[in-house]
Structures are given as structure tokens and as C-alpha cells.
Amino acid sequence: MKKHILDLSVKAVERLSDKHVLLRLTDDHPLPEILPGQFVEVRVDGSSTTFLRRPISINFVDRSANELWLMVATIGDGTRRIGRLQPGDTLNCVLPLGNGFSLKSETGGLKSAVSRQPSVLLVGGGVGVAPLLYLGEVLQQQGCQVTFLLGGRSAKDLLELDLFNKYGRVCVTTEDGTLGEKGFVTNHSVLAEPFNKLFTCGPTPMMKAVARYATEKGIDCEASLENMMACGLGACLCCVEKTTEGNLCVCKDGPVFDIQRLLWA
């Protein structure tokens, strides 16, 4: 896909929690094609400590409003500066980057293999839930039965639940039991149900546990890796992941990988 460097205008800013900000960006021209699971590299202006762009997952694409949504976890100087942007400000972005989630099999192969709607499970934890919103919308449009399984330390860590509910059934776990079932996502009772495919994004230990579950159940599974990325183009080799095909750059060859390509077993 063609890459673009765009000065996007901040249309709205919403504080999702004390650490998370949602930026709704727009442009004078229609946004380029963007697939669920892809990301952007954002330039941080006005910082004396942040010299490289910051990779941020694409949370959602609203074509009717010509908006691109970014969920920003404000954990360092660069992301804190991004989180302080106001409506009318400009954010320079390189997009779309990386390879997104596989989608064709959910509308073709799965429908021919089962008599009911393809049932897909999207598992996310922390800020890793961000790319699953756009993925869920696209899967729903393609006729899939979507279930989200979202986890956090407590209820305040679970973001955009009202939006996830628009695109599928939402199941929740919290470590302290303040919302949903108490424990980790891999302990949720919904995992006793049959699913045709599984997608996951979040902390690596969580994704590895999800991958083990998928392998044991014989379910195809894709994981969106969150390795440290600097250039976003595969030049700096900062985000290399060992795979069955050798060392691959997560930013260029991923960030989404079939778990069978990873050496997580």
C-alpha cells in the first residue's frame, strides 16, 4: 500500500482515563485506504528529548466523518506532548504502516465451511484493545459474529466499552474483580465456546497465553505485536522478532503475525 505523510488536523480530543487520550484527526482530502491492524508514525514537535516518531495503533476509521482515531497512552515525554494537543492543532503522520489483520478468510472460507455466521474472538488487554475496535467493525460488516474479550487491572482500565458494544458481544475481565469476571482474559468462561478464528493484541505475556489456548483448541490465531518501533519502515532493525522464517521486522513484516510464524511455543 502507498505510504502518505500527512498533516492531519485535530478535530476533537477526548480523555478516556488519567493516562489515555483519544485523538480524532481529519484532513481536507479523503483519508487513504487503511486496514485494521495498521499503525501510524507520529512526529513529536517541540520536544527536546523526543527525536524519533512515535508508533501508534489505528483505533478506528470513520469514513462518513473522514476521521482517523488514535488512542494515545501518555507514558513518556513524547506521548504526553501528543496527548496535550487541542482541536485545531496539526499532527504530522506517516500512514498507513505495517500489515493488518487477515480478513478475506472470514467472509469466504469460513462461511463455506460452517452453516452459521463465522464466530470470531478478539482478545485485548490494556492499550492493546485499540486496534480491535476498527477490526470488529470491519468483521461485523463482513457478516461475522464478533465477540470481544477485554481485560484490565480494574474497571477504570477498560476503555471504549460503549463503542465495542456496537460491533459485537463484549466480555470483560478485571484482575481486581471490579468489572466482569475476576482474573485474566485466559480465565474467562467465554473461552469454553467454539470460535472459528482468534485475534489478539496487548501485553506479550497475555498474547502468548492466548496463543497457547488457540493452539490447544486448534483455532487459527493472529497476534499484533507491540515491539519497540522507531522508523516504522524496517530500516533501523529496532523491532526485530525471531520467527520460523528468521528475524523479521515487526513494523514492516507485521505488526500482525499468524502465531504459527512465531517462536512462542
PDB file of all heavy atoms in Angstrom, residues 76-116:
ATOM      1  N   GLY A  76       5.287   8.764  28.283  1.00  0.00           N
ATOM      2  CA  GLY A  76       6.610   9.373  28.149  1.00  0.00           C
ATOM      3  C   GLY A  76       6.475  10.799  27.675  1.00  0.00           C
ATOM      4  O   GLY A  76       5.363  11.284  27.409  1.00  0.00           O
ATOM      5  N   ASP A  77       7.594  11.498  27.545  1.00  0.00           N
ATOM      6  CA  ASP A  77       7.542  12.898  27.145  1.00  0.00           C
ATOM      7  C   ASP A  77       6.881  13.064  25.783  1.00  0.00           C
ATOM      8  O   ASP A  77       6.055  13.963  25.585  1.00  0.00           O
ATOM      9  CB  ASP A  77       8.957  13.496  27.113  1.00  0.00           C
ATOM     10  CG  ASP A  77       8.940  14.968  26.715  1.00  0.00           C
ATOM     11  OD1 ASP A  77       8.345  15.771  27.470  1.00  0.00           O
ATOM     12  OD2 ASP A  77       9.502  15.315  25.659  1.00  0.00           O
ATOM     13  N   GLY A  78       7.227  12.182  24.847  1.00  0.00           N
ATOM     14  CA  GLY A  78       6.665  12.291  23.500  1.00  0.00           C
ATOM     15  C   GLY A  78       5.163  12.101  23.477  1.00  0.00           C
ATOM     16  O   GLY A  78       4.420  12.921  22.919  1.00  0.00           O
ATOM     17  N   THR A  79       4.681  11.028  24.093  1.00  0.00           N
ATOM     18  CA  THR A  79       3.243  10.763  24.078  1.00  0.00           C
ATOM     19  C   THR A  79       2.476  11.759  24.952  1.00  0.00           C
ATOM     20  O   THR A  79       1.321  12.077  24.670  1.00  0.00           O
ATOM     21  CB  THR A  79       2.948   9.326  24.532  1.00  0.00           C
ATOM     22  OG1 THR A  79       3.651   9.051  25.755  1.00  0.00           O
ATOM     23  CG2 THR A  79       3.385   8.325  23.471  1.00  0.00           C
ATOM     24  N   ARG A  80       3.122  12.275  26.012  1.00  0.00           N
ATOM     25  CA  ARG A  80       2.452  13.307  26.816  1.00  0.00           C
ATOM     26  C   ARG A  80       2.232  14.570  25.997  1.00  0.00           C
ATOM     27  O   ARG A  80       1.190  15.230  26.111  1.00  0.00           O
ATOM     28  CB  ARG A  80       3.252  13.617  28.078  1.00  0.00           C
ATOM     29  CG  ARG A  80       3.107  12.553  29.173  1.00  0.00           C
ATOM     30  CD  ARG A  80       3.616  13.064  30.505  1.00  0.00           C
ATOM     31  NE  ARG A  80       5.059  13.308  30.479  1.00  0.00           N
ATOM     32  CZ  ARG A  80       5.970  12.417  30.834  1.00  0.00           C
ATOM     33  NH1 ARG A  80       5.595  11.203  31.223  1.00  0.00           N
ATOM     34  NH2 ARG A  80       7.262  12.715  30.791  1.00  0.00           N
ATOM     35  N   ARG A  81       3.216  14.908  25.155  1.00  0.00           N
ATOM     36  CA  ARG A  81       3.054  16.091  24.299  1.00  0.00           C
ATOM     37  C   ARG A  81       1.942  15.861  23.275  1.00  0.00           C
ATOM     38  O   ARG A  81       1.146  16.765  22.995  1.00  0.00           O
ATOM     39  CB  ARG A  81       4.370  16.426  23.592  1.00  0.00           C
ATOM     40  CG  ARG A  81       5.396  17.056  24.526  1.00  0.00           C
ATOM     41  CD  ARG A  81       6.684  17.403  23.794  1.00  0.00           C
ATOM     42  NE  ARG A  81       7.620  18.076  24.688  1.00  0.00           N
ATOM     43  CZ  ARG A  81       7.652  19.383  24.910  1.00  0.00           C
ATOM     44  NH1 ARG A  81       6.792  20.175  24.269  1.00  0.00           N
ATOM     45  NH2 ARG A  81       8.518  19.909  25.744  1.00  0.00           N
ATOM     46  N   ILE A  82       1.898  14.657  22.721  1.00  0.00           N
ATOM     47  CA  ILE A  82       0.818  14.338  21.780  1.00  0.00           C
ATOM     48  C   ILE A  82      -0.532  14.434  22.489  1.00  0.00           C
ATOM     49  O   ILE A  82      -1.508  14.939  21.940  1.00  0.00           O
ATOM     50  CB  ILE A  82       1.035  12.931  21.192  1.00  0.00           C
ATOM     51  CG1 ILE A  82       2.322  12.892  20.360  1.00  0.00           C
ATOM     52  CG2 ILE A  82      -0.158  12.517  20.332  1.00  0.00           C
ATOM     53  CD1 ILE A  82       2.736  11.504  19.928  1.00  0.00           C
ATOM     54  N   GLY A  83      -0.579  13.944  23.723  1.00  0.00           N
ATOM     55  CA  GLY A  83      -1.826  13.965  24.482  1.00  0.00           C
ATOM     56  C   GLY A  83      -2.289  15.351  24.869  1.00  0.00           C
ATOM     57  O   GLY A  83      -3.450  15.534  25.249  1.00  0.00           O
ATOM     58  N   ARG A  84      -1.407  16.350  24.783  1.00  0.00           N
ATOM     59  CA  ARG A  84      -1.793  17.723  25.129  1.00  0.00           C
ATOM     60  C   ARG A  84      -2.281  18.528  23.916  1.00  0.00           C
ATOM     61  O   ARG A  84      -2.587  19.725  24.040  1.00  0.00           O
ATOM     62  CB  ARG A  84      -0.614  18.448  25.785  1.00  0.00           C
ATOM     63  CG  ARG A  84      -0.300  17.950  27.187  1.00  0.00           C
ATOM     64  CD  ARG A  84       0.563  18.944  27.958  1.00  0.00           C
ATOM     65  NE  ARG A  84       1.916  19.040  27.412  1.00  0.00           N
ATOM     66  CZ  ARG A  84       2.957  18.343  27.858  1.00  0.00           C
ATOM     67  NH1 ARG A  84       2.785  17.476  28.839  1.00  0.00           N
ATOM     68  NH2 ARG A  84       4.161  18.506  27.319  1.00  0.00           N
ATOM     69  N   LEU A  85      -2.360  17.880  22.758  1.00  0.00           N
ATOM     70  CA  LEU A  85      -2.856  18.583  21.579  1.00  0.00           C
ATOM     71  C   LEU A  85      -4.301  19.022  21.780  1.00  0.00           C
ATOM     72  O   LEU A  85      -5.066  18.400  22.515  1.00  0.00           O
ATOM     73  CB  LEU A  85      -2.763  17.666  20.345  1.00  0.00           C
ATOM     74  CG  LEU A  85      -1.347  17.361  19.843  1.00  0.00           C
ATOM     75  CD1 LEU A  85      -1.393  16.279  18.777  1.00  0.00           C
ATOM     76  CD2 LEU A  85      -0.680  18.617  19.292  1.00  0.00           C
ATOM     77  N   GLN A  86      -4.671  20.095  21.094  1.00  0.00           N
ATOM     78  CA  GLN A  86      -6.012  20.661  21.199  1.00  0.00           C
ATOM     79  C   GLN A  86      -6.667  20.709  19.819  1.00  0.00           C
ATOM     80  O   GLN A  86      -5.980  20.693  18.792  1.00  0.00           O
ATOM     81  CB  GLN A  86      -5.942  22.076  21.780  1.00  0.00           C
ATOM     82  CG  GLN A  86      -5.391  22.147  23.194  1.00  0.00           C
ATOM     83  CD  GLN A  86      -6.284  21.430  24.182  1.00  0.00           C
ATOM     84  OE1 GLN A  86      -7.512  21.575  24.148  1.00  0.00           O
ATOM     85  NE2 GLN A  86      -5.683  20.641  25.072  1.00  0.00           N
ATOM     86  N   PRO A  87      -8.002  20.748  19.775  1.00  0.00           N
ATOM     87  CA  PRO A  87      -8.685  20.883  18.484  1.00  0.00           C
ATOM     88  C   PRO A  87      -8.139  22.061  17.690  1.00  0.00           C
ATOM     89  O   PRO A  87      -7.939  23.150  18.229  1.00  0.00           O
ATOM     90  CB  PRO A  87     -10.149  21.094  18.882  1.00  0.00           C
ATOM     91  CG  PRO A  87     -10.270  20.384  20.196  1.00  0.00           C
ATOM     92  CD  PRO A  87      -8.960  20.616  20.888  1.00  0.00           C
ATOM     93  N   GLY A  88      -7.870  21.813  16.415  1.00  0.00           N
ATOM     94  CA  GLY A  88      -7.290  22.834  15.553  1.00  0.00           C
ATOM     95  C   GLY A  88      -5.798  22.688  15.366  1.00  0.00           C
ATOM     96  O   GLY A  88      -5.229  23.247  14.416  1.00  0.00           O
ATOM     97  N   ASP A  89      -5.134  21.957  16.275  1.00  0.00           N
ATOM     98  CA  ASP A  89      -3.701  21.700  16.118  1.00  0.00           C
ATOM     99  C   ASP A  89      -3.463  20.723  14.964  1.00  0.00           C
ATOM    100  O   ASP A  89      -4.379  20.053  14.480  1.00  0.00           O
ATOM    101  CB  ASP A  89      -3.110  21.108  17.406  1.00  0.00           C
ATOM    102  CG  ASP A  89      -3.031  22.125  18.534  1.00  0.00           C
ATOM    103  OD1 ASP A  89      -3.089  23.327  18.234  1.00  0.00           O
ATOM    104  OD2 ASP A  89      -2.918  21.702  19.698  1.00  0.00           O
ATOM    105  N   THR A  90      -2.200  20.651  14.539  1.00  0.00           N
ATOM    106  CA  THR A  90      -1.825  19.771  13.431  1.00  0.00           C
ATOM    107  C   THR A  90      -0.896  18.672  13.931  1.00  0.00           C
ATOM    108  O   THR A  90      -0.011  18.923  14.744  1.00  0.00           O
ATOM    109  CB  THR A  90      -1.122  20.577  12.321  1.00  0.00           C
ATOM    110  OG1 THR A  90      -2.055  21.535  11.787  1.00  0.00           O
ATOM    111  CG2 THR A  90      -0.659  19.663  11.194  1.00  0.00           C
ATOM    112  N   LEU A  91      -1.109  17.460  13.438  1.00  0.00           N
ATOM    113  CA  LEU A  91      -0.273  16.321  13.795  1.00  0.00           C
ATOM    114  C   LEU A  91       0.239  15.679  12.510  1.00  0.00           C
ATOM    115  O   LEU A  91      -0.543  15.232  11.671  1.00  0.00           O
ATOM    116  CB  LEU A  91      -1.077  15.311  14.612  1.00  0.00           C
ATOM    117  CG  LEU A  91      -0.292  14.170  15.263  1.00  0.00           C
ATOM    118  CD1 LEU A  91       0.696  14.714  16.290  1.00  0.00           C
ATOM    119  CD2 LEU A  91      -1.244  13.177  15.920  1.00  0.00           C
ATOM    120  N   ASN A  92       1.565  15.635  12.363  1.00  0.00           N
ATOM    121  CA  ASN A  92       2.170  15.071  11.163  1.00  0.00           C
ATOM    122  C   ASN A  92       2.292  13.557  11.331  1.00  0.00           C
ATOM    123  O   ASN A  92       2.901  13.069  12.281  1.00  0.00           O
ATOM    124  CB  ASN A  92       3.542  15.697  10.927  1.00  0.00           C
ATOM    125  CG  ASN A  92       4.182  15.205   9.646  1.00  0.00           C
ATOM    126  OD1 ASN A  92       4.882  14.202   9.630  1.00  0.00           O
ATOM    127  ND2 ASN A  92       3.945  15.923   8.553  1.00  0.00           N
ATOM    128  N   CYS A  93       1.711  12.813  10.396  1.00  0.00           N
ATOM    129  CA  CYS A  93       1.649  11.349  10.491  1.00  0.00           C
ATOM    130  C   CYS A  93       2.130  10.698   9.199  1.00  0.00           C
ATOM    131  O   CYS A  93       1.827  11.177   8.095  1.00  0.00           O
ATOM    132  CB  CYS A  93       0.224  10.877  10.763  1.00  0.00           C
ATOM    133  SG  CYS A  93      -0.508  11.488  12.293  1.00  0.00           S
ATOM    134  N   VAL A  94       2.862   9.588   9.336  1.00  0.00           N
ATOM    135  CA  VAL A  94       3.178   8.708   8.211  1.00  0.00           C
ATOM    136  C   VAL A  94       2.225   7.527   8.312  1.00  0.00           C
ATOM    137  O   VAL A  94       2.165   6.851   9.345  1.00  0.00           O
ATOM    138  CB  VAL A  94       4.635   8.223   8.259  1.00  0.00           C
ATOM    139  CG1 VAL A  94       4.937   7.342   7.054  1.00  0.00           C
ATOM    140  CG2 VAL A  94       5.597   9.403   8.307  1.00  0.00           C
ATOM    141  N   LEU A  95       1.497   7.243   7.243  1.00  0.00           N
ATOM    142  CA  LEU A  95       0.477   6.191   7.275  1.00  0.00           C
ATOM    143  C   LEU A  95       0.093   5.738   5.884  1.00  0.00           C
ATOM    144  O   LEU A  95       0.383   6.457   4.927  1.00  0.00           O
ATOM    145  CB  LEU A  95      -0.767   6.714   8.009  1.00  0.00           C
ATOM    146  CG  LEU A  95      -1.705   7.689   7.263  1.00  0.00           C
ATOM    147  CD1 LEU A  95      -3.078   7.665   7.906  1.00  0.00           C
ATOM    148  CD2 LEU A  95      -1.186   9.110   7.219  1.00  0.00           C
ATOM    149  N   PRO A  96      -0.549   4.557   5.764  1.00  0.00           N
ATOM    150  CA  PRO A  96      -0.663   3.538   6.804  1.00  0.00           C
ATOM    151  C   PRO A  96       0.580   2.652   6.775  1.00  0.00           C
ATOM    152  O   PRO A  96       1.141   2.388   5.714  1.00  0.00           O
ATOM    153  CB  PRO A  96      -1.902   2.758   6.380  1.00  0.00           C
ATOM    154  CG  PRO A  96      -1.869   2.830   4.871  1.00  0.00           C
ATOM    155  CD  PRO A  96      -1.274   4.171   4.531  1.00  0.00           C
ATOM    156  N   LEU A  97       1.014   2.186   7.921  1.00  0.00           N
ATOM    157  CA  LEU A  97       2.225   1.385   8.024  1.00  0.00           C
ATOM    158  C   LEU A  97       1.905  -0.031   8.494  1.00  0.00           C
ATOM    159  O   LEU A  97       0.942  -0.260   9.224  1.00  0.00           O
ATOM    160  CB  LEU A  97       3.208   2.042   8.994  1.00  0.00           C
ATOM    161  CG  LEU A  97       3.727   3.426   8.578  1.00  0.00           C
ATOM    162  CD1 LEU A  97       4.549   4.048   9.690  1.00  0.00           C
ATOM    163  CD2 LEU A  97       4.548   3.329   7.294  1.00  0.00           C
ATOM    164  N   GLY A  98       2.754  -0.973   8.082  1.00  0.00           N
ATOM    165  CA  GLY A  98       2.618  -2.350   8.519  1.00  0.00           C
ATOM    166  C   GLY A  98       1.534  -3.123   7.792  1.00  0.00           C
ATOM    167  O   GLY A  98       0.836  -2.602   6.913  1.00  0.00           O
ATOM    168  N   ASN A  99       1.429  -4.385   8.150  1.00  0.00           N
ATOM    169  CA  ASN A  99       0.410  -5.281   7.594  1.00  0.00           C
ATOM    170  C   ASN A  99      -0.667  -5.517   8.636  1.00  0.00           C
ATOM    171  O   ASN A  99      -0.377  -5.762   9.811  1.00  0.00           O
ATOM    172  CB  ASN A  99       1.046  -6.611   7.195  1.00  0.00           C
ATOM    173  CG  ASN A  99       2.080  -6.443   6.098  1.00  0.00           C
ATOM    174  OD1 ASN A  99       1.786  -5.894   5.046  1.00  0.00           O
ATOM    175  ND2 ASN A  99       3.296  -6.894   6.355  1.00  0.00           N
ATOM    176  N   GLY A 100      -1.916  -5.442   8.213  1.00  0.00           N
ATOM    177  CA  GLY A 100      -3.029  -5.584   9.134  1.00  0.00           C
ATOM    178  C   GLY A 100      -3.470  -7.021   9.327  1.00  0.00           C
ATOM    179  O   GLY A 100      -2.814  -7.976   8.898  1.00  0.00           O
ATOM    180  N   PHE A 101      -4.605  -7.173   9.986  1.00  0.00           N
ATOM    181  CA  PHE A 101      -5.186  -8.492  10.233  1.00  0.00           C
ATOM    182  C   PHE A 101      -5.732  -9.083   8.940  1.00  0.00           C
ATOM    183  O   PHE A 101      -6.159  -8.356   8.043  1.00  0.00           O
ATOM    184  CB  PHE A 101      -6.320  -8.377  11.248  1.00  0.00           C
ATOM    185  CG  PHE A 101      -5.886  -7.943  12.619  1.00  0.00           C
ATOM    186  CD1 PHE A 101      -6.050  -6.629  13.028  1.00  0.00           C
ATOM    187  CD2 PHE A 101      -5.321  -8.845  13.502  1.00  0.00           C
ATOM    188  CE1 PHE A 101      -5.661  -6.213  14.292  1.00  0.00           C
ATOM    189  CE2 PHE A 101      -4.921  -8.445  14.770  1.00  0.00           C
ATOM    190  CZ  PHE A 101      -5.090  -7.129  15.168  1.00  0.00           C
ATOM    191  N   SER A 102      -5.735 -10.420   8.855  1.00  0.00           N
ATOM    192  CA  SER A 102      -6.321 -11.105   7.697  1.00  0.00           C
ATOM    193  C   SER A 102      -7.836 -11.000   7.781  1.00  0.00           C
ATOM    194  O   SER A 102      -8.417 -11.199   8.843  1.00  0.00           O
ATOM    195  CB  SER A 102      -5.900 -12.575   7.675  1.00  0.00           C
ATOM    196  OG  SER A 102      -4.496 -12.694   7.586  1.00  0.00           O
ATOM    197  N   LEU A 103      -8.468 -10.719   6.648  1.00  0.00           N
ATOM    198  CA  LEU A 103      -9.912 -10.528   6.651  1.00  0.00           C
ATOM    199  C   LEU A 103     -10.644 -11.408   5.644  1.00  0.00           C
ATOM    200  O   LEU A 103     -11.768 -11.810   5.880  1.00  0.00           O
ATOM    201  CB  LEU A 103     -10.242  -9.053   6.363  1.00  0.00           C
ATOM    202  CG  LEU A 103      -9.718  -8.041   7.383  1.00  0.00           C
ATOM    203  CD1 LEU A 103      -9.907  -6.627   6.861  1.00  0.00           C
ATOM    204  CD2 LEU A 103     -10.418  -8.215   8.711  1.00  0.00           C
ATOM    205  N   LYS A 104     -10.020 -11.739   4.522  1.00  0.00           N
ATOM    206  CA  LYS A 104     -10.725 -12.420   3.439  1.00  0.00           C
ATOM    207  C   LYS A 104     -11.290 -13.766   3.858  1.00  0.00           C
ATOM    208  O   LYS A 104     -12.382 -14.140   3.460  1.00  0.00           O
ATOM    209  CB  LYS A 104      -9.798 -12.590   2.236  1.00  0.00           C
ATOM    210  CG  LYS A 104      -9.452 -11.274   1.546  1.00  0.00           C
ATOM    211  CD  LYS A 104      -8.597 -11.500   0.323  1.00  0.00           C
ATOM    212  CE  LYS A 104      -8.267 -10.183  -0.371  1.00  0.00           C
ATOM    213  NZ  LYS A 104      -7.407 -10.377  -1.557  1.00  0.00           N
ATOM    214  N   SER A 105     -10.533 -14.525   4.646  1.00  0.00           N
ATOM    215  CA  SER A 105     -10.993 -15.866   5.005  1.00  0.00           C
ATOM    216  C   SER A 105     -12.275 -15.829   5.824  1.00  0.00           C
ATOM    217  O   SER A 105     -13.069 -16.755   5.811  1.00  0.00           O
ATOM    218  CB  SER A 105      -9.909 -16.612   5.789  1.00  0.00           C
ATOM    219  OG  SER A 105      -9.617 -15.949   6.992  1.00  0.00           O
ATOM    220  N   GLU A 106     -12.494 -14.714   6.569  1.00  0.00           N
ATOM    221  CA  GLU A 106     -13.689 -14.648   7.395  1.00  0.00           C
ATOM    222  C   GLU A 106     -14.953 -14.503   6.553  1.00  0.00           C
ATOM    223  O   GLU A 106     -16.024 -14.897   6.980  1.00  0.00           O
ATOM    224  CB  GLU A 106     -13.593 -13.457   8.364  1.00  0.00           C
ATOM    225  CG  GLU A 106     -12.822 -13.739   9.619  1.00  0.00           C
ATOM    226  CD  GLU A 106     -11.370 -14.072   9.345  1.00  0.00           C
ATOM    227  OE1 GLU A 106     -10.639 -13.224   8.864  1.00  0.00           O
ATOM    228  OE2 GLU A 106     -10.982 -15.227   9.612  1.00  0.00           O
ATOM    229  N   THR A 107     -14.837 -13.941   5.344  1.00  0.00           N
ATOM    230  CA  THR A 107     -16.024 -13.772   4.521  1.00  0.00           C
ATOM    231  C   THR A 107     -16.165 -14.892   3.504  1.00  0.00           C
ATOM    232  O   THR A 107     -17.249 -15.150   3.014  1.00  0.00           O
ATOM    233  CB  THR A 107     -15.970 -12.441   3.754  1.00  0.00           C
ATOM    234  OG1 THR A 107     -14.774 -12.404   2.975  1.00  0.00           O
ATOM    235  CG2 THR A 107     -15.962 -11.274   4.705  1.00  0.00           C
ATOM    236  N   GLY A 108     -15.080 -15.571   3.178  1.00  0.00           N
ATOM    237  CA  GLY A 108     -15.142 -16.622   2.185  1.00  0.00           C
ATOM    238  C   GLY A 108     -15.044 -18.010   2.762  1.00  0.00           C
ATOM    239  O   GLY A 108     -16.019 -18.721   2.931  1.00  0.00           O
ATOM    240  N   GLY A 109     -13.823 -18.410   3.126  1.00  0.00           N
ATOM    241  CA  GLY A 109     -13.576 -19.776   3.560  1.00  0.00           C
ATOM    242  C   GLY A 109     -14.396 -20.206   4.753  1.00  0.00           C
ATOM    243  O   GLY A 109     -14.947 -21.304   4.792  1.00  0.00           O
ATOM    244  N   LEU A 110     -14.537 -19.344   5.740  1.00  0.00           N
ATOM    245  CA  LEU A 110     -15.266 -19.744   6.935  1.00  0.00           C
ATOM    246  C   LEU A 110     -16.748 -19.923   6.651  1.00  0.00           C
ATOM    247  O   LEU A 110     -17.369 -20.854   7.143  1.00  0.00           O
ATOM    248  CB  LEU A 110     -15.075 -18.702   8.038  1.00  0.00           C
ATOM    249  CG  LEU A 110     -13.724 -18.710   8.746  1.00  0.00           C
ATOM    250  CD1 LEU A 110     -13.684 -17.606   9.796  1.00  0.00           C
ATOM    251  CD2 LEU A 110     -13.456 -20.045   9.394  1.00  0.00           C
ATOM    252  N   LYS A 111     -17.317 -19.063   5.832  1.00  0.00           N
ATOM    253  CA  LYS A 111     -18.743 -19.195   5.550  1.00  0.00           C
ATOM    254  C   LYS A 111     -19.050 -20.474   4.789  1.00  0.00           C
ATOM    255  O   LYS A 111     -20.106 -21.070   4.956  1.00  0.00           O
ATOM    256  CB  LYS A 111     -19.246 -17.981   4.771  1.00  0.00           C
ATOM    257  CG  LYS A 111     -19.499 -16.760   5.647  1.00  0.00           C
ATOM    258  CD  LYS A 111     -20.230 -15.698   4.865  1.00  0.00           C
ATOM    259  CE  LYS A 111     -20.581 -14.524   5.772  1.00  0.00           C
ATOM    260  NZ  LYS A 111     -21.281 -13.457   5.045  1.00  0.00           N
ATOM    261  N   SER A 112     -18.144 -20.901   3.933  1.00  0.00           N
ATOM    262  CA  SER A 112     -18.377 -22.119   3.180  1.00  0.00           C
ATOM    263  C   SER A 112     -18.141 -23.355   4.037  1.00  0.00           C
ATOM    264  O   SER A 112     -18.614 -24.435   3.722  1.00  0.00           O
ATOM    265  CB  SER A 112     -17.447 -22.164   1.957  1.00  0.00           C
ATOM    266  OG  SER A 112     -16.096 -22.179   2.374  1.00  0.00           O
ATOM    267  N   ALA A 113     -17.406 -23.174   5.155  1.00  0.00           N
ATOM    268  CA  ALA A 113     -17.075 -24.314   5.990  1.00  0.00           C
ATOM    269  C   ALA A 113     -18.086 -24.532   7.103  1.00  0.00           C
ATOM    270  O   ALA A 113     -18.168 -25.611   7.677  1.00  0.00           O
ATOM    271  CB  ALA A 113     -15.683 -24.117   6.601  1.00  0.00           C
ATOM    272  N   VAL A 114     -18.869 -23.536   7.454  1.00  0.00           N
ATOM    273  CA  VAL A 114     -19.835 -23.670   8.538  1.00  0.00           C
ATOM    274  C   VAL A 114     -21.195 -23.179   8.066  1.00  0.00           C
ATOM    275  O   VAL A 114     -21.305 -22.385   7.142  1.00  0.00           O
ATOM    276  CB  VAL A 114     -19.387 -22.866   9.774  1.00  0.00           C
ATOM    277  CG1 VAL A 114     -18.119 -23.443  10.353  1.00  0.00           C
ATOM    278  CG2 VAL A 114     -19.192 -21.400   9.450  1.00  0.00           C
ATOM    279  N   SER A 115     -22.242 -23.670   8.705  1.00  0.00           N
ATOM    280  CA  SER A 115     -23.592 -23.322   8.281  1.00  0.00           C
ATOM    281  C   SER A 115     -24.087 -22.034   8.918  1.00  0.00           C
ATOM    282  O   SER A 115     -25.088 -21.485   8.502  1.00  0.00           O
ATOM    283  CB  SER A 115     -24.552 -24.463   8.632  1.00  0.00           C
ATOM    284  OG  SER A 115     -24.520 -24.731  10.027  1.00  0.00           O
ATOM    285  N   ARG A 116     -23.409 -21.555   9.948  1.00  0.00           N
ATOM    286  CA  ARG A 116     -23.823 -20.338  10.611  1.00  0.00           C
ATOM    287  C   ARG A 116     -22.800 -19.236  10.357  1.00  0.00           C
ATOM    288  O   ARG A 116     -21.846 -19.418   9.618  1.00  0.00           O
ATOM    289  CB  ARG A 116     -23.956 -20.582  12.120  1.00  0.00           C
ATOM    290  CG  ARG A 116     -22.678 -21.109  12.739  1.00  0.00           C
ATOM    291  CD  ARG A 116     -22.867 -21.388  14.219  1.00  0.00           C
ATOM    292  NE  ARG A 116     -21.694 -22.009  14.798  1.00  0.00           N
ATOM    293  CZ  ARG A 116     -20.587 -21.368  15.153  1.00  0.00           C
ATOM    294  NH1 ARG A 116     -20.505 -20.076  14.961  1.00  0.00           N
ATOM    295  NH2 ARG A 116     -19.570 -22.006  15.694  1.00  0.00           N
TER     296      ARG A 116
END
